[in-house]
Amino acid sequence: MSDKDDAETMRGRLRSERVNSLFSEDELIEDYYDQPAANDSSCWNDYGLSTLQSSGTVSSRSSSMHSGSTEGLDAPTQLLPIIKAGWLDKNPPQGSYIYQKRWVKLDADYLRYFDSEKDTYSKRFIPVTSIARVASIGDQKFEVITNNRTFAFRAESDADRNEWMRTLQQMVDERKFKGLNRISLFQPPTGALDSVDKCGLLELRGFKNKLYVVVAGDKVFLYKNAEDYRQGIGITYIEMNVGNVKDVDRRGFDLTTPYRIFSFSADSDQEKDEWVEAMQQSIAEALSNSEVAEKIWSVEANRFCADCGSLNPDWASVNLCVVICKRCAGEHRGLGPSITKVRSLKMDRKVWTEELIELFCQVGNCVANQFWAANVPPSEAIHVASGSQERRRFLIAKYKEGKYRRYHPLFGNQEELNKALCATVTTSDLAETQSLVFCGAEVSCFSGDPDFPNPIALAEQAGQKLQMEFLLHNKNSEIPRVEAGSSEEKHYSVILPSVTHNGFLFKTPSMAKLVHERKSREEFSRRWCTLNDSIFSYYENDRNAVPNGEIKMEEIVCLVNNPPDTHGFESTFEVYIESERLYLFGLENPEAIRKWVKSIAKSFIHPRADELLSHDFERIGRLQYKGGLNLQRAKEGWFALTQSVLYAFLEDSDKEEAVHLKKLQELSVQGDSLVLVERRRTLYIQGERKLDFLGWVAAIQKAAGSSGDTLSEQQLTESDIPVIVDRCIDYITQCGLTSEGIYRKSGQNSKTTSLLEMLRKDARRVRLKEGEHQVDDVSNTLKRFFRDLGDGLFTKEFCQDWLKAAAIENEEEKIGQYRQLLSSLPVVNRATVKALINHLYRVQYFSEMNQMNTHNLAIVFGPTLFQTDGKDYKAGRVVEDLISRYVVIFSVDEQEMRKQQDEITAIIKMRIAGSSSGTQQAGDFICTVYLEEKKTEAEQHVKIPATMTAEELTFEILERRKIDTKEKEYWSCFEVNEREEAERPLHYSEKVLPILHGLGTDSYLVVKKQLSMENMLIYLASRVSDSKHGMMKFREERNLLGLGLSTGFHDRYFILNNSCLRLYKEVRSLKQRMPAVENSHRPEKEWPVKNLKVYLGIKKKLRPPSCWGFTVFYENEKHEKQQWYLCCDTQMELREWFASFLYVQNGGNVWPSESSKVRASRTQQDSSFFETYEPEA
Ligand SMILES: [Zn+2]
């Protein structure tokens, strides 16, 4: 349409009979007063025409808008299809009989009426949502009834009237049905506060009274006054995609459209600026990319936020396929991209491919909500006016926990779900795919068909582009889980019990580090202290009203009850708070301190963990921990330490658990974690804050160590045997059973002394190794331990009774007496006697080889165990009896005997075969390891003891799958990082547990052949020098935050030697001076090799120049991290570099050269297996 046509339109309207255009004073009061409408003062048309003709830009834009309109009755800017339009007579509501001819239009949102069918701007709009009902009132008349106003119309015939009523009622019902859970759905934006950008009174030229103007999204709405705005009934609205705002004078501005010019005037120039800006924003929003939005909104359900029901939502979650409003989008973002990927319909143009738009038209809010919102209780639903907390709670329940979803019948049956997904993706049933995926079917599961291995490939093959699109957006989506709660919120929303207590305490100034030194009385000051309403306050004295300071109970993270006389007061306690401060209090009165400690503990310990208060704790508080099968997320636990027991309330269990610290298999500090390995699990206590964590570490270490020289004060095994005894017996069993004169020969005195000292200090950490320790030193150490034992093995109390029993002549009576005495021993002593005698029984079994029969052993052990001088044989007699009548006295059953015998036979066989074994059992951590590739069928769940090496894990997997390894097959365990598209073969001696601990969600372990190992070993064997030089392409990862620069790959010269990797920029000068360069030239960068982790592969997104690349992670002692990429030109180069890295990082020991260390338990099962597994170096 040309400019001329525009002008024609205008002129047509000017000529029309009904000259009084709606924008006249009288028109605005039409609904209220019985008044004829004829009035020629339509100021507006005159301006409109002249301005329009001079405004080229407006016209040209309007012409493009016009081109889309099909018929005259449709306003050019109308986004919504018109459902019904026609002439009706309308009467002013207050009883007048004078009807006015109006052009009436109904679309999905509004009933509007106009002067003529050519008008763009209505005289009145009534939101469909505000219509309560439609009623017939006879004579072709009907009423449209809203909550506060009634509009009467007259049709030309009853048939026409009935048709209008039917259509209107249908629209109203539909909308009510859709908005069932949405309280205030009605538009324009009353209640939809989030979408209003600016509102207020403005003068519009030609009117006496100011109008109430609302800028919302891409429209400007005009209301007669604020009251009308609240009721939702307005004059007209202006679609801003055809708008243009112009400054006119100090307070005035024009909003120009191809059809009219609105000349507004604000109260001040500042106000005006704000209005101009808001309207310009609105234009920008309308023009931003309404194309995508329009296409997506063409489906009715997509025109309301899938979550709260707001109109015209212009955001979306591209993986969930829902269209959402701005406020919900904000909360969606908080759930993280693994749950919902938020994009704008208007701004993120690139993401909106044809397929995605089509997917939104086919799935969209309707299908998505049939699944996600199948069971929303009305009390939990949100609406347009909901606050952000309500929204967040609802969205977590809806998408993260999947609380309201419609469960798929196959839910919980992984295999069937996957099968069903593979079948469904080849059809067009997107709803079924959605249901399967969000009920647990795996998007990347193996289809069973190697040509189309996963659902995406199947969908592609079947030509199901929308299925593909959906699967691709959900490749890494998290499946909703109800238990996925967040601990932070739980903790702080808790209401702590209110405890009241007061009295005088002595207090030191608060401190920022642990108190190691003794604080004298003088360092404390007397303070009046109160505990009230979860606040501890201390005052100068009990008459002061203003406290010197306060501690909120919710800030307290740890409370320590010091041993008596730690400081200048008999009793003292310490309070640690979140902000890393420590408060020390004291009194001479232990009972009063006990009361204070109890009161404070009671008021800061989470109520669910209050059972901890029943212990006579030395230390109590909260700590972060990781444990169980999920090491990704740290959880909150409440802990109390009492002597050598650590009681815990862990987040994933609702009962108290006890960790016997003396029985730990391993206790170590790794980075910021304290690792406690029990037989059945590993617990990582994390240092969230430094101060209280250091306190806990020291206390736990102390409690886990030996505290005295009696048996029960030692570190113990699960079966209550001192770790010292267990370690020595185990070692002798593995290495010394056949050693001649075992236990009779004495070892080197100095070695025995130092070994015993080491074991006494921390037996758990001592690993006795063949070659490092001599059999006789170890046996001597064990004897020395028993000889020096405070209270002895048989206890001072019963010692003489044992010796007397040896003299009893009646065999039966004697055995009865031994058994009687045995049962009166403390638990640890009894277990230790049994373990030792059992061991000696084994030793004498091999007396032909070791020359130590029962009598010989008794001569040695009698005086040792009874701590006598050995002048008579009484003590020896007891030991001899115990060994020779071992089975009877200790009631050992046959099965147990046979089992032990088998074990020992296996050990001896293995020793003869030349292997050794000295592995320890430790806490079992169960982990999923794949064989050859990541797929369900290749999954193995393996218990990982703390001591397990990568090599042992590889064995375990191969053995389970009964895989015969052949010569030159280098089976290794790989750590695969899917996100980085890189993998790293673990060194055979690497411990698996710490690696599992550090593994991210997108990483896993796989056991497979290391194909290039042979070539690497050949290269290493043949090379001349230990260092490697050469060019590689280098790229730094600078944009870790997703910002920053993309740097690309650049040529750099590298030198790798025994200690570090160096990078040189000056390639040319270097080449000439090679190879002396290493010392003469300063590198641009240098990294110690021990801080590097080298992975094979580079993610394709970075467009590496070749496929022969590495991803290198660097982390130094300060935990500073870097990540970069190296790329080689050929596979051979890559192999050489990688081999060199392996070589320098492992001290030249790249692959085990001798037959490997094997766990004892495995030897009995399949000895041939080990013979085949002897790769050559
Ligand atoms: Zn919303």
Side-chain angles (χ1 to χ4, degrees):
M1 199 181 274
S2 68
D3 291 2
K4 195 168 156 254
D5 292 335
D6 270 6
E8 278 297 325
T9 313
M10 290 301 169
R11 234 168 274 132
R13 186 166 42 227
L14 278 174
R15 275 197 304 271
S16 81
E17 277 184 297
R18 308 198 55 83
V19 182
N20 68 324
S21 174
L22 61 149
F23 280 100
S24 55
E25 284 290 308
D26 43 68
E27 185 68 23
L28 288 169
I29 53 174
E30 163 194 72
D31 290 340
Y32 305 97
Y33 304 105
D34 180 7
Q35 187 181 319
N39 189 327
D40 273 344
S41 66
S42 79
C43 53
W44 136 257
N45 283 330
D46 301 335
Y47 289 107
L49 193 60
S50 59
T51 319
L52 274 174
Q53 281 168 338
S54 63
S55 170
T57 54
V58 171
S59 305
S60 70
R61 202 198 285 160
S62 77
S63 63
S64 69
M65 299 319 287
H66 274 283
S67 62
S69 92
T70 46
E71 41 182 341
L73 58 86
D74 199 1
T77 59
Q78 181 64 54
L79 292 177
L80 297 177
I82 296 301
I83 290 154
K84 185 160 173 62
W87 289 103
L88 286 173
D89 288 331
K90 181 195 162 297
N91 73 321
Q94 295 210 336
S96 165
Y97 293 100
I98 300 165
Y99 280 85
Q100 299 157 326
K101 217 171 163 52
R102 293 285 183 260
W103 179 249
V104 184
K105 278 199 243 186
L106 174 68
D107 62 38
D109 290 333
Y110 300 109
L111 178 70
R112 293 179 294 169
Y113 54 83
F114 301 80
D115 263 339
S116 82
E117 54 190 300
K118 301 215 163 149
D119 277 359
T120 303
Y121 298 114
S122 60
K123 299 172 78 72
R124 177 65 69 202
F125 65 81
I126 306 156
V128 171
T129 48
S130 70
I131 299 175
R133 60 193 175 89
V134 187
S136 161
I137 47 173
D139 293 339
Q140 299 118 50
K141 284 189 278 188
F142 66 99
E143 282 179 339
V144 174
I145 301 157
T146 73
N147 286 337
N148 32 52
R149 233 176 276 178
T150 299
F151 300 87
F153 296 96
R154 186 175 65 196
E156 280 172 10
S157 66
D158 277 343
D160 189 31
R161 188 262 314 265
N162 293 345
E163 179 63 19
W164 269 106
M165 283 180 59
R166 196 188 59 74
T167 314
L168 264 164
Q169 193 60 54
Q170 191 186 336
M171 291 303 300
V172 170
D173 291 347
E174 259 176 39
R175 186 51 61 82
K176 272 195 190 131
F177 176 72
K178 276 173 191 148
L180 214 57
N181 289 327
R182 300 163 182 162
I183 290 165
S184 177
L185 188 65
F186 109 107
Q187 284 286 325
T190 306
L193 294 170
D194 60 302
S195 61
V196 172
D197 300 311
K198 181 152 181 65
C199 58
L201 293 169
L202 274 181
E203 255 174 56
L204 179 58
R205 191 180 303 176
F207 297 90
K208 266 186 246 148
N209 295 326
K210 288 178 182 169
L211 298 184
Y212 196 80
V213 182
V214 174
V215 184
D218 55 0
K219 291 186 189 67
V220 171
F221 296 86
L222 304 181
Y223 299 87
K224 205 178 81 133
N225 51 41
E227 179 58 25
D228 271 14
Y229 163 61
R230 272 189 289 279
Q231 291 174 357
I233 294 174
I235 301 161
T236 195
Y237 58 81
I238 302 143
E239 302 262 17
M240 294 296 271
N241 55 351
V242 294
N244 191 19
V245 187
K246 257 191 344 204
D247 226 329
V248 176
D249 55 32
R250 246 189 73 231
R251 298 191 293 120
F253 64 99
D254 284 353
L255 168 57
T256 312
T257 78
Y259 322 104
R260 284 204 181 144
I261 292 170
F262 302 83
S263 292
F264 292 108
S265 188
D267 286 346
S268 66
D269 46 356
Q270 195 200 330
E271 266 284 296
K272 182 205 68 183
D273 289 346
E274 284 178 26
W275 279 106
V276 169
E277 200 194 318
M279 288 191 188
Q280 272 163 351
Q281 284 272 321
S282 176
I283 292 169
E285 193 169 335
L287 294 177
S288 55
N289 193 11
S290 44
E291 201 187 334
V292 170
E294 278 168 37
K295 280 185 193 159
I296 287 176
W297 288 344
S298 69
V299 174
E300 166 76 11
N302 291 343
R303 296 186 50 245
F304 302 92
C305 172
D307 299 321
C308 75
S310 291
L311 187 66
N312 295 346
D314 48 11
W315 290 81
S317 165
V318 292
N319 63 314
L320 299 172
C321 287
V322 290
V323 190
I324 50 180
C325 70
K326 201 152 114 193
R327 291 188 73 190
C328 288
E331 302 303 334
H332 267 253
R333 227 177 265 120
L335 298 181
S338 61
I339 293 185
T340 166
K341 296 185 183 115
V342 182
R343 299 285 183 276
S344 164
L345 296 189
K346 293 183 171 172
M347 290 174 290
D348 293 316
R349 285 174 188 235
K350 277 188 197 148
V351 74
W352 294 103
T353 58
E354 284 305 312
E355 282 82 14
L356 187 59
I357 293 171
E358 185 54 29
L359 184 64
F360 265 73
C361 292
Q362 291 205 15
V363 179
N365 291 357
C366 178
V367 174
N369 269 342
Q370 278 167 12
F371 172 75
W372 288 108
N375 307 294
V376 185
S379 61
E380 293 186 23
I382 55 168
H383 47 85
V384 267
S386 294
S388 77
Q389 237 175 358
E390 266 178 278
R391 278 174 210 260
R392 193 178 321 139
R393 179 193 45 70
F394 176 77
L395 295 177
I396 287 173
K398 185 174 176 183
Y399 299 114
K400 190 170 179 181
E401 299 177 349
K403 190 175 168 190
Y404 315 126
R405 75 192 135 147
R406 182 187 300 282
Y407 280 91
H408 194 279
L410 297 175
F411 182 80
N413 191 338
Q414 191 65 57
E415 225 172 279
E416 292 300 314
L417 280 171
N418 289 355
K419 258 194 228 164
L421 182 65
C422 290
T424 307
V425 296
T426 63
T427 73
S428 59
D429 193 347
L430 292 158
E432 177 73 1
T433 299
Q434 167 187 253
S435 170
L436 286 164
V437 166
F438 291 114
C439 281
E442 291 161 311
V443 172
S444 306
C445 68
F446 181 58
S447 66
D449 180 350
D451 293 334
F452 308 103
N454 52 47
I456 297 173
L458 286 169
E460 184 174 23
Q461 198 245 343
Q464 293 294 341
K465 285 188 176 175
L466 300 187
Q467 295 276 16
M468 265 179 80
E469 186 75 17
F470 180 83
L471 294 172
L472 285 170
H473 285 292
N474 282 297
K475 226 175 148 185
N476 301 311
S477 292
E478 233 173 79
I479 302 310
R481 278 185 317 165
V482 177
E483 67 272 18
S486 72
S487 63
E488 302 85 1
E489 284 184 355
K490 249 187 249 163
H491 172 68
Y492 292 107
S493 62
V494 127
I495 298 160
L496 294 166
S498 177
V499 179
T500 306
H501 193 69
N502 53 40
F504 279 104
L505 279 171
F506 290 84
K507 146 174 200 308
T508 65
S510 72
M511 290 162 272
K513 55 176 200 239
L514 295 177
V515 200
H516 293 299
E517 75 287 5
R518 183 183 168 89
K519 295 269 180 194
S520 68
R521 268 190 101 109
E522 290 70 42
E523 293 174 75
F524 290 77
S525 328
R526 189 167 184 254
R527 293 283 177 265
W528 174 253
C529 300
T530 64
L531 174 58
N532 215 339
D533 283 339
S534 292
I535 297 174
F536 176 93
S537 317
Y538 47 93
Y539 300 79
E540 200 67 31
N541 57 54
D542 57 349
R543 294 175 306 278
N544 274 38
V546 181
N548 290 8
E550 286 180 348
I551 303 168
K552 291 195 184 78
M553 288 300 119
E554 66 199 39
E555 295 178 315
I556 299 183
V557 291
C558 180
L559 174 67
V560 177
N561 195 1
N562 285 323
D565 290 317
T566 306
H567 299 291
F569 286 92
E570 188 185 339
S571 301
T572 49
F573 68 89
E574 296 169 1
V575 173
Y576 294 70
I577 62 166
E578 192 118 37
S579 52
E580 312 256 358
R581 302 296 294 183
L582 188 168
Y583 295 81
L584 178 61
F585 300 90
L587 268 187
E588 278 309 323
N589 180 347
E591 184 53 28
I593 286 292
R594 210 182 60 81
K595 276 187 185 153
W596 269 111
V597 166
K598 231 180 149 180
S599 303
I600 294 173
K602 199 173 172 191
S603 45
F604 88 94
I605 296 297
H606 194 292
R608 103 192 146 82
D610 62 3
E611 220 173 291
L612 293 177
L613 300 170
S614 65
H615 302 290
D616 188 15
F617 55 85
E618 292 143 34
R619 181 178 292 265
I620 194 165
R622 70 173 144 96
L623 288 164
Q624 296 261 301
Y625 77 95
K626 284 179 176 181
L629 291 178
N630 180 2
L631 285 185
Q632 269 101 43
R633 188 169 72 92
K635 293 169 237 178
E636 184 186 83
W638 290 89
F639 296 85
L641 180 63
T642 305
Q643 291 182 342
S644 63
V645 184
L646 182 67
Y647 295 97
F649 263 92
L650 303 179
E651 194 185 303
D652 29 26
S653 138
D654 53 2
K655 59 174 203 296
E656 184 181 86
E657 292 173 57
V659 180
H660 293 272
L661 298 174
K662 284 203 196 303
K663 291 191 183 178
L664 289 178
Q665 305 207 348
E666 201 176 302
L667 177 69
S668 57
V669 177
Q670 289 175 14
D672 292 338
S673 300
L674 180 66
V675 186
L676 293 87
V677 183
E678 281 187 292
R679 211 168 74 88
R680 279 173 216 89
R681 66 160 169 204
T682 302
L683 191 65
Y684 296 85
I685 292 182
Q686 297 202 303
E688 193 188 359
R689 299 156 303 268
K690 202 173 165 194
L691 190 62
D692 63 313
F693 179 67
L694 290 177
W696 277 104
V697 170
I700 289 173
Q701 279 174 336
K702 185 158 177 272
S706 297
S707 49
D709 64 355
T710 67
L711 274 183
S712 56
E713 287 169 308
Q714 308 302 311
Q715 294 177 352
L716 300 173
T717 68
E718 188 71 12
S719 41
D720 288 317
I721 300 158
V723 177
I724 297 188
V725 175
D726 187 64
R727 288 274 198 274
C728 293
I729 288 180
D730 189 48
Y731 180 82
I732 302 291
T733 305
Q734 304 284 346
C735 315
L737 284 182
T738 55
S739 170
E740 201 187 322
I742 179 77
Y743 288 118
R744 194 196 65 228
K745 284 199 208 160
S746 53
Q748 282 183 337
N749 198 30
S750 62
K751 284 197 176 165
T752 304
T753 309
S754 69
L755 182 57
L756 185 57
E757 202 175 306
M758 259 165 56
L759 285 163
R760 280 208 173 117
K761 210 171 152 202
D762 191 357
R764 221 173 269 124
R765 292 176 70 122
V766 178
R767 300 271 180 261
L768 297 171
K769 286 186 198 135
E770 196 170 18
E772 237 173 82
H773 299 98
Q774 299 305 311
V775 167
D776 294 328
D777 294 335
V778 176
S779 65
N780 215 27
T781 301
L782 184 64
K783 287 191 295 179
R784 180 91 64 86
F785 170 77
F786 281 118
R787 179 169 274 285
D788 296 349
L789 205 57
D791 206 35
L793 178 61
F794 295 98
T795 72
K796 294 227 160 65
E797 190 188 346
F798 294 108
C799 193
Q800 292 307 314
D801 297 338
W802 280 91
L803 296 176
K804 270 184 219 153
I808 296 171
E809 282 187 18
N810 182 304
E811 175 76 10
E812 218 167 296
E813 197 183 320
K814 185 160 77 172
I815 287 172
Q817 181 64 12
Y818 281 140
R819 293 178 69 154
Q820 165 73 38
L821 286 167
L822 205 57
S823 64
S824 25
L825 284 177
V827 176
V828 177
N829 296 51
R830 190 163 61 228
T832 309
V833 171
K834 185 182 173 188
L836 179 67
I837 300 300
N838 174 51
H839 173 61
L840 297 179
Y841 182 85
R842 305 288 160 207
V843 174
Q844 62 79 33
Y845 187 83
F846 292 97
S847 59
E848 270 184 30
M849 291 154 100
N850 61 31
Q851 312 301 324
M852 293 300 286
N853 58 26
T854 305
H855 184 71
N856 291 345
L857 288 168
I859 291 171
V860 174
F861 274 93
T864 301
L865 300 181
F866 284 91
Q867 302 173 333
T868 61
D869 55 11
K871 277 185 188 149
D872 60 44
Y873 187 60
K874 269 195 236 155
R877 179 87 253 163
V878 177
V879 175
E880 193 171 337
D881 284 345
L882 292 178
I883 298 174
S884 57
R885 293 163 179 80
Y886 169 67
V887 179
V888 186
I889 295 175
F890 293 90
S891 322
V892 183
D893 74 31
E894 250 179 75
Q895 211 182 345
E896 194 183 331
M897 279 301 276
R898 205 179 312 120
K899 196 173 143 244
Q900 287 188 7
Q901 201 58 48
D902 287 349
E903 269 175 34
I904 289 175
T905 311
I907 290 166
I908 300 295
K909 260 195 205 164
M910 202 173 72
R911 287 193 65 76
I912 292 165
S915 303
S916 73
S917 168
T919 46
Q920 306 292 334
Q921 294 291 315
D924 291 334
F925 177 76
I926 294 172
C927 138
T928 303
V929 182
Y930 297 92
L931 180 64
E932 299 203 283
E933 62 174 311
K934 187 185 178 185
K935 53 179 188 184
T936 320
E937 311 88 277
E939 243 175 47
Q940 292 288 322
H941 302 285
V942 189
K943 282 184 187 171
I944 311 285
T947 52
M948 189 182 239
T949 61
E951 185 185 26
E952 287 167 340
L953 176 60
T954 307
F955 273 137
E956 170 107 29
I957 297 286
L958 293 175
E959 190 190 62
R960 280 192 191 191
R961 285 297 178 111
K962 298 272 174 264
I963 290 179
D964 280 332
T965 54
K966 297 179 186 67
E967 209 182 322
K968 309 239 159 138
E969 277 185 0
Y970 297 87
W971 288 88
S972 304
C973 181
F974 286 73
E975 175 197 341
V976 181
N977 186 328
E978 288 182 300
R979 180 171 43 89
E980 294 294 340
E981 298 166 39
E983 62 181 21
R984 181 178 76 91
L986 304 188
H987 188 254
Y988 69 89
S989 69
E990 257 183 279
K991 291 270 176 14
V992 181
L993 199 62
I995 290 163
L996 275 179
H997 181 44
L999 226 50
T1001 39
D1002 33 24
S1003 296
Y1004 58 90
L1005 294 182
V1006 61
V1007 166
K1008 59 181 180 181
K1009 282 179 237 176
Q1010 199 171 344
L1011 297 172
S1012 54
M1013 183 49 89
E1014 192 178 3
N1015 285 314
M1016 290 202 287
L1017 293 172
I1018 292 169
Y1019 163 75
L1020 288 173
S1022 63
R1023 67 187 184 151
V1024 193
S1025 145
D1026 272 2
S1027 60
K1028 170 140 182 78
H1029 308 233
M1031 295 288 288
M1032 280 190 278
K1033 298 205 164 42
F1034 174 76
R1035 178 190 161 120
E1036 258 180 296
E1037 182 71 294
R1038 284 213 193 125
N1039 49 349
L1040 282 174
L1041 295 170
L1043 309 161
L1045 307 156
S1046 165
T1047 51
F1049 285 84
H1050 301 287
D1051 279 331
R1052 291 289 181 270
Y1053 199 84
F1054 287 89
I1055 297 174
L1056 174 66
N1057 67 20
N1058 282 331
S1059 59
C1060 48
L1061 176 68
R1062 298 194 172 109
L1063 175 153
Y1064 297 85
K1065 207 170 183 177
E1066 303 295 318
V1067 182
R1068 240 171 269 138
S1069 60
L1070 258 169
K1071 270 184 181 163
Q1072 291 155 6
R1073 282 189 275 163
M1074 286 298 302
V1077 65
E1078 215 163 322
N1079 300 318
S1080 63
H1081 205 80
R1082 223 172 61 81
E1084 192 195 352
K1085 285 194 166 79
E1086 183 172 332
W1087 302 274
V1089 282
K1090 67 175 165 39
N1091 294 342
L1092 300 180
K1093 264 195 176 178
V1094 186
Y1095 290 72
L1096 291 160
I1098 298 178
K1099 59 183 165 197
K1100 285 173 206 76
K1101 220 180 85 191
L1102 297 178
R1103 298 176 191 280
S1106 79
C1107 58
W1108 317 116
F1110 307 106
T1111 299
V1112 183
F1113 293 89
Y1114 165 85
E1115 182 173 353
N1116 67 14
E1117 289 73 14
K1118 288 181 227 151
H1119 301 291
E1120 291 164 343
K1121 289 175 188 174
Q1122 277 175 20
Q1123 181 179 341
W1124 29 270
Y1125 307 92
L1126 297 174
C1127 211
C1128 305
D1129 290 338
T1130 65
Q1131 185 180 15
M1132 196 181 76
E1133 262 185 64
L1134 175 101
R1135 264 189 217 140
E1136 292 181 6
W1137 276 107
F1138 196 69
S1140 304
F1141 272 116
L1142 288 179
Y1143 189 87
V1144 298
Q1145 289 198 310
N1146 298 294
N1149 194 1
V1150 173
W1151 192 258
S1153 56
E1154 36 165 342
S1155 82
S1156 308
K1157 283 180 278 170
V1158 175
R1159 289 209 284 179
S1161 61
R1162 258 179 240 133
T1163 56
Q1164 350 164 358
Q1165 297 168 2
D1166 186 5
S1167 59
S1168 65
F1169 168 70
F1170 298 107
E1171 286 157 23
T1172 55
Y1173 190 82
E1174 276 196 33
E1176 288 174 10

